[in-house]
Amino acid sequence: MKNVLLIAAGSDIAKSLIKLLLKEGECNKFNIFASYRKNLPEKSESFTPFILDLCDEKSFIEAFENFQDIKFDAVVNFAGAAITSPVAKLNPDDLKFQLDVTTVGLARLLKHVYPYLNKNSKVINISSMASFGIFPFISPYCASKAASDILLNAFELETGISCVSIKPGVVKTKFWQYCIDLNESNFKNFDGEYKKIGEFLLENAKKNSNRGISPDEAAAVIFKALKAKHPKKSYLVGLDAYFASFSKFIPKGVLNKLIKFTLDKRVRNFLK
């Protein structure tokens, strides 16, 4: 029986992965431990939900006290949030929140889960195409995802535990509406010279809730990495993620001009 730990299992992609694991479990018997911040779903024979706040050290201690006799064969971290703001108007506390959820939260997870892993375990973190750092106005999110990739890779080098970064593009999930609500006050930062871009970003986020790849498609890639004996270190998910990955081959000056040109064109088209 393989023990799989899912962090922030309330996400749409996590829900799709749970369905795959439970279906596969009819043959291979996956035992799923899934964390939620609140509103626990019903427990079953192969599914154990529990409360965990990724930003709370005490929450980790209390949760992992129940895992004393368990070794996890795989850990998948879905936790995420995205802060938006022009850097010139960014509240440092919002940047701290972003890093606490995405990067420091991952560090807390790795610290507490390490004693419960074996040499053949896998740690899979849901990163983003934003980790390539090519999206202005969501720089806190980009920075936190890039930092998480570095942290994850260092963990593998230091422990020998296999680590995987999943980098989706746009996925049709409730994450977009969550981020719109989260940034309600931050959209006020888009005044003056940033007014038009703010209106575009808000409308674009609303549209992203209903476009892009499905959660099932993203979950299938994670499932593939889970089952692989020797998974790749990074998986791109979605055509837009592949396009974003090409940015690392373009000189920074040229890339910045391309990004600005593309963004300006999209804003103009939006305002028509």
Side-chain angles (χ1 to χ4, degrees):
M1 179 177 292
K2 294 183 178 181
N3 295 319
V4 179
L5 175 63
L6 306 181
I7 303 298
S11 78
D12 290 332
I13 300 175
K15 291 176 181 176
S16 293
L17 179 62
I18 289 171
K19 291 179 182 177
L20 285 174
L21 291 171
L22 290 176
K23 181 179 180 180
E24 184 77 6
E26 295 174 5
C27 301
N28 294 335
K29 291 295 182 182
F30 284 103
N31 197 13
I32 304 168
F33 299 82
S35 84
Y36 299 82
R37 285 195 301 167
K38 56 184 179 179
N39 301 329
L40 290 180
E42 187 176 348
K43 181 179 179 179
S44 66
E45 181 181 358
S46 301
F47 180 77
T48 304
F50 65 97
I51 294 293
L52 177 68
D53 184 346
L54 207 67
C55 298
D56 185 351
E57 186 77 12
K58 183 180 178 182
S59 180
F60 271 97
I61 295 172
E62 293 175 349
F64 278 78
E65 282 179 348
N66 299 316
F67 302 145
Q68 294 301 319
D69 300 322
I70 297 174
K71 287 289 185 179
F72 294 111
D73 299 287
V75 180
V76 187
N77 178 34
F78 294 91
I83 293 296
T84 182
S85 174
V87 174
K89 299 190 176 186
L90 177 63
N91 185 331
D93 288 337
D94 287 333
L95 177 58
K96 290 177 181 177
F97 169 79
Q98 176 72 79
L99 293 171
D100 200 25
V101 172
T102 308
T103 310
V104 181
L106 175 61
R108 289 191 190 96
L109 172 62
L110 295 174
K111 169 188 171 183
H112 286 280
V113 81
Y114 180 51
Y116 300 90
L117 302 178
N118 56 56
K119 65 179 181 179
N120 295 318
S121 296
K122 297 186 186 82
V123 176
I124 299 175
N125 189 55
I126 311 307
S127 182
S128 168
M129 67 176 178
S131 64
F132 295 110
I134 61 173
F135 300 105
F137 302 104
I138 57 166
S139 60
Y141 183 63
C142 295
S144 69
K145 289 298 186 181
S148 295
D149 283 346
I150 293 170
L151 193 70
L152 195 68
N153 189 61
F155 180 77
E156 175 173 308
L157 289 170
E158 294 162 1
T159 65
I161 302 295
S162 178
C163 293
V164 178
S165 176
I166 306 290
K167 301 180 188 301
V170 174
V171 185
K172 293 181 285 189
T173 69
K174 63 178 181 289
F175 176 75
W176 296 99
Q177 186 59 52
Y178 165 70
C179 291
I180 290 171
D181 296 340
L182 178 66
N183 287 283
E184 182 177 0
S185 62
N186 284 336
F187 279 112
K188 297 175 183 177
N189 293 342
F190 291 89
D191 56 5
E193 63 183 302
Y194 299 117
K195 186 174 186 298
K196 293 179 181 179
I197 186 66
E199 292 173 355
F200 163 74
L201 291 173
L202 178 58
E203 188 62 28
N204 192 62
K206 292 177 180 178
K207 290 181 179 179
N208 283 346
S209 297
N210 296 299
R211 66 183 177 189
I213 63 173
S214 71
D216 290 345
E217 188 174 343
V221 176
I222 301 169
F223 190 55
K224 178 181 178 181
L226 274 173
K227 294 183 66 178
K229 186 175 182 180
H230 301 291
K232 295 190 294 185
K233 300 306 174 191
S234 179
Y235 289 81
L236 298 169
V237 188
L239 188 60
D240 49 352
Y242 279 92
F243 278 120
S245 71
F246 293 140
S247 64
K248 58 188 176 183
F249 302 112
I250 303 174
K252 181 61 70 174
V254 175
L255 179 62
N256 283 350
K257 289 179 181 179
L258 286 172
I259 293 171
K260 191 173 188 312
F261 172 80
T262 302
L263 185 58
D264 288 346
K265 183 178 180 181
R266 294 187 69 188
V267 172
R268 286 196 302 270
N269 290 338
F270 164 72
L271 294 173
K272 287 182 179 179

